[in-house]
Amino acid sequence: MAHDALIVVDVQNDFCPGGALAVPDGDAVVPVLNEYIRAFVERGAPVFASRDWHPRVSRHFRDYGGIWPIHCVQGTSGAEFHPHLQLPVNAPHVVIVSKGADPEEDAYSAFQAKVGDRVPLAEALRERGVEHVFVGGLATDYCVRSTVLDALAQGFRATFLADASRGVNLQPHDSERAIEEMVRAGADVATLRQVEESGRAH
Ligand SMILES: [Zn+2]
């Protein structure tokens, strides 16, 4: 796992049941992601957690020309990570990256996110020697999909974590189509057991 990193995409209250833009069953990813986080942290592999981090006024929102209800506004409880997500933020290899802070920007992919206000995710990954990213979170057919496709486009290997993601499915088969698209673009699909076994094999 020397060149591996975990990317936890947007596991925030507004994307979980009860939130402003809830993904059906979205909170079901939390216990699974906690297992992935534990496995990566134990091996000293970096863990990146992205968050949607919008200003109150953004062209991303329906009220200002976009398509989405207001969600994940900086500093609100809706923008906080799900309370059961066990993200050891004091661990040296756990990094939060934020996206959508520009009021002109939509920002779906974690590759649009930055560490602080400065370092783009791709650069932060390369600084740590990462070659292969494992991506799970919310939602399969939006931000997870975009993150996986961007990872591949930027020269990383990418594995979609099927058991750690849930989709919005505005159309009934959007998640299936997103997974097919990721695979066609070169992504692998795996579950926790497979990742743990491949980690041991390294
Ligand atoms: Zn957003």
Side-chain angles (χ1 to χ4, degrees):
M1 284 209 147
H3 303 289
D4 296 348
L6 175 66
I7 303 178
V8 176
V9 177
D10 298 7
V11 182
Q12 293 167 274
N13 288 328
D14 270 345
F15 295 130
C16 291
L21 191 46
V23 177
D25 205 25
D27 53 349
V29 304
V30 172
V32 187
L33 281 167
N34 285 339
E35 293 295 311
Y36 281 106
I37 292 167
R38 186 189 48 71
F40 277 72
V41 167
E42 266 177 15
R43 297 187 182 115
V47 174
F48 290 82
S50 73
R51 61 182 181 183
D52 222 16
W53 197 240
H54 297 301
R56 176 67 181 72
V57 175
S58 165
R59 288 180 56 174
H60 184 57
F61 297 148
R62 200 179 279 154
D63 292 357
Y64 309 102
I67 62 170
W68 303 108
I70 290 171
H71 62 273
C72 296
V73 173
Q74 297 167 11
T76 63
S77 60
E80 287 172 13
F81 291 117
H82 187 282
H84 296 157
L85 187 70
Q86 289 163 6
L87 202 60
V89 285
N90 294 321
H93 301 301
V94 177
V95 182
I96 293 169
V97 292
S98 306
K99 62 189 170 68
D102 181 334
E104 301 293 321
E105 173 191 46
D106 263 321
Y108 294 103
S109 165
F111 281 83
Q112 290 168 278
K114 292 174 180 157
V115 183
D117 285 331
R118 299 177 305 108
V119 184
L121 175 62
E123 195 178 319
L125 290 166
R126 291 198 182 98
E127 277 173 2
R128 289 166 176 80
V130 173
E131 296 169 359
H132 187 169
V133 295
F134 294 75
V135 184
L138 303 173
T140 305
D141 37 355
Y142 290 93
C143 295
V144 172
R145 167 188 167 277
S146 302
T147 301
V148 166
L149 294 178
D150 275 356
L152 294 164
Q154 300 214 25
F156 297 94
R157 271 188 73 192
T159 296
F160 165 68
L161 301 175
D163 52 352
S165 305
R166 290 293 185 282
V168 178
N169 293 312
L170 286 180
Q171 304 295 326
H173 300 290
D174 281 355
S175 289
E176 282 167 47
R177 272 195 286 270
I179 295 167
E180 285 166 11
E181 190 183 0
M182 290 187 265
V183 169
R184 269 200 309 275
D188 298 315
V189 178
T191 58
L192 181 64
R193 179 177 302 216
Q194 292 163 317
V195 170
E196 286 184 331
E197 280 169 6
S198 73
R200 273 194 286 276
H202 271 266

